Amino acid sequence: MAGHDDRYIEITTRLRSMRSFCDFLSQGGTVRVALSDGEPFKDVTAVLLERNRREAEALARTRRQLYPDLADEDVTPPLYSRH
């Protein structure tokens, strides 16, 4: 994986983040937005959940194409650099 570590970790981290957000929404989390100042908030949870699920699937496909031997691994980047 030499030379590709950063890109693989970036993709995996984004994928993990998207999946966690989808889990949050699936378990009852909500997202509400106001289209402009002073307007009432509108629930956009279902739309956002579907969009993030599609993006996560696309990202997983990309990761499988770029790193077929590592696609199912879950990499946890180090929190702190070792100086």
Side-chain angles (χ1 to χ4, degrees):
M1 195 166 64
H4 299 291
D5 292 348
D6 291 342
R7 183 71 174 135
Y8 179 78
I9 291 171
E10 176 189 352
I11 291 170
T12 301
T13 302
R14 281 187 58 209
L15 183 57
R16 184 184 308 132
S17 176
M18 285 180 162
R19 287 176 175 165
S20 293
F21 186 60
C22 288
D23 287 346
F24 165 73
L25 295 178
S26 295
Q27 295 174 11
T30 58
V31 179
R32 294 183 182 104
V33 296
L35 298 177
S36 63
D37 288 343
E39 288 197 28
F41 285 93
K42 178 182 175 184
D43 189 341
V44 294
T45 305
V47 173
L48 201 55
L49 177 59
E50 183 59 32
R51 182 185 315 156
N52 276 272
R53 282 184 176 162
R54 283 193 311 264
E55 287 179 25
E57 289 169 8
L59 198 55
R61 279 192 305 273
T62 299
R63 185 174 72 163
R64 280 191 300 272
Q65 290 172 343
L66 294 175
Y67 307 99
D69 54 328
L70 302 171
D72 293 327
E73 291 184 24
D74 195 22
V75 173
T76 303
L79 294 176
Y80 305 101
S81 56
R82 299 176 200 179
H83 296 279

